[in-house]
Amino acid sequence: LPRPPQTGAVVAGRVEAVLKPVNGAFVDIAADRAAFASIGKGAPSLVEGALLIAKVRRPPIGGKGAVLSLDWRGGLSLDAQQAIEAKAKSGTRGTLSDPVDAAIEAAQYFADDLRRAEFDCVVNDPTTKRLAECVFGVAAIFEVEPLAARGIDDFLQASLDREISLTNGARLFIHETEAGALIDIDAAGAAGQSSGAINNRINAAAVARLFPEISRRAISGRVIIDFLPPGGADARRKLAEGLKSALAIFRGARFGKLAPDGLCDVTLPRRDLSLLERATEPAGAPQPLEGRRYTIDWAAKSAIRALEYRLARQAACRPRLVVTPAIEAYLASARPQWRDRLAEKFGARFAIAADPSKGREDHEVVE
């Protein structure tokens, strides 16, 4: 099925407009929006209407189209390059080759295709703990319990929660925006005993928890963090050093500055959609603050995962997946291959039914 161009994919398109002042061009790659290709020094001149092969450096995000790189041959064999060029010359527009980056391939494999059996083989291995790397295609910088021990849906839901508990009753709040994120460290239960030493301990706990959360949520762009006021110049220096050390794992990240009152800014390269952007869409809430809700695709995936989990672990049961009419219609028209795959794997011992009384994203597996 058609999908937006993914980071690392090789695509073909036609040049729509050349922007000489910025050394770039808009390219029609058969997506919802034209992509932008940056033309480096020494690259051949482009003209409108010319065929272009490029690699997706960043997928479409928000109202912006994909960003392309003209250096698309890296990592491909000569035969693969020739096959791509042949496809492009035949007039094919859009994706010519899936991403060659192993981490991105893993993210698509586990998050989109939902091949549960193979997924269990990975997460049931007790040595497999760097889960963000195989689930989201981002650099995993933290150790967590094996995903199978908690369940994929619990893990994903925890990765979307805005409030995170810290030490001494303190909390961390994450508010994502299209340009980045605003993160607030709140003393909460520790407020009555606030002091420089307590602030320093809470800030240290926040740093230890913050960057794993940024990693598994795939947050990028400008990130503004409001720490508690450090207890003196030495504490502020140690906090800045801890931030810089944690940021070193993120390729291309930049540390801005840490103010005496604890306000800090960092920048993470925008290369892909965040988990929140993958899972939700604008909900049309009243202005000026626009809310978000789960996409129908994400809700349908959650329902199918629940059904497949029951089928795999209770061989004798004949479950029925009860969903909203919207999810039932989406599964039948847009994702029939999901049901076909379950039927091929488990036979005809399940059913999918609609219940108009359920909420938009609700689902239930019953006997």
Side-chain angles (χ1 to χ4, degrees), residues 6-349:
Q6 304 294 301
T7 302
V10 178
V11 298
R14 295 281 176 182
V15 177
E16 286 187 342
V18 178
L19 307 175
K20 291 184 178 179
V22 294
N23 291 325
F26 286 116
V27 184
D28 177 9
I29 57 171
D32 291 341
R33 297 178 294 278
F36 179 78
S38 179
I39 307 170
K41 292 183 178 180
S45 300
L46 297 179
V47 295
E48 292 184 11
L51 172 68
L52 187 70
I53 303 175
K55 179 180 287 187
V56 178
R57 195 174 73 198
R58 193 208 69 196
I61 295 176
K64 300 178 181 179
V67 175
L68 307 178
S69 168
L70 299 186
D71 182 16
W72 60 271
R73 300 176 187 275
L76 296 173
S77 66
L78 181 59
D79 288 344
Q81 294 177 30
Q82 292 174 345
I84 287 173
E85 290 172 339
K87 282 184 185 179
K89 289 178 180 177
S90 70
T92 301
R93 283 186 307 138
T95 301
L96 301 179
S97 173
D98 288 330
V100 297
D101 183 90
I104 296 170
E105 283 184 339
Q108 292 176 342
Y109 185 77
F110 293 120
D112 291 337
D113 292 348
L114 299 172
R115 300 204 170 116
R116 184 74 191 192
E118 291 84 350
F119 184 79
D120 279 343
C121 289
V122 173
V123 299
N124 282 333
D125 179 352
T127 64
T128 303
K129 293 184 178 181
R130 295 189 176 278
L131 300 177
E133 190 170 81
C134 68
V135 177
F136 307 124
V138 297
I141 63 169
F142 62 107
E143 300 289 332
V144 296
E145 62 188 273
L147 203 59
R150 297 176 55 191
I152 177 67
D153 286 310
D154 292 341
F155 183 82
L156 291 172
Q157 186 57 53
S159 301
L160 293 169
D161 288 345
R162 290 185 60 190
E163 180 179 337
I164 300 160
S165 297
L166 298 174
T167 184
N168 294 334
R171 297 173 297 177
L172 187 153
F173 293 93
I174 298 179
H175 175 67
E176 290 190 50
T177 72
E178 188 171 312
L182 305 174
I183 300 174
D184 180 51
I185 288 81
D186 179 21
Q193 46 182 321
S194 178
S195 68
I198 291 176
N199 284 0
N200 295 341
R201 285 200 294 270
I202 293 175
N203 285 340
V207 172
R209 187 66 187 272
L210 175 61
F211 290 99
E213 291 295 336
I214 287 176
S215 175
R216 71 170 173 169
R217 294 163 191 256
I219 292 173
S220 58
R222 195 70 175 269
V223 179
I224 306 299
I225 311 165
D226 189 9
F227 288 100
L228 299 177
D234 187 56
R236 178 182 165 206
R237 178 184 58 77
K238 289 181 179 179
L239 178 58
E241 290 174 352
L243 287 168
K244 292 176 183 178
S245 176
L247 275 176
I249 302 175
F250 294 87
R251 181 164 53 90
R254 299 195 308 274
F255 178 78
K257 63 180 180 179
L258 175 62
D261 63 358
L263 193 63
C264 172
D265 71 285
V266 299
T267 304
L268 303 170
R270 195 83 153 103
R271 297 190 179 98
D272 209 342
L273 299 175
S274 71
L275 178 63
L276 183 68
E277 289 169 322
R278 292 178 184 274
T280 64
E281 62 189 2
Q287 297 296 326
L289 181 63
E290 184 178 41
R292 298 187 72 84
R293 63 183 181 185
Y294 287 111
T295 65
I296 191 70
D297 184 74
W298 188 270
K301 284 179 181 179
S302 297
I304 287 292
R305 276 199 302 269
L307 174 60
E308 187 168 12
Y309 186 86
R310 181 72 65 87
L311 288 167
R313 280 152 183 76
Q314 298 182 15
C317 77
R318 301 182 68 85
R320 184 162 58 101
L321 175 63
V322 183
V323 295
T324 65
I327 292 178
E328 182 192 40
Y330 182 80
L331 289 171
S333 61
R335 303 294 188 192
Q337 71 273 29
W338 291 356
R339 180 171 187 155
D340 293 345
R341 181 177 56 79
L342 289 185
E344 180 181 351
K345 185 175 179 180
F346 299 105
R349 61 183 181 93

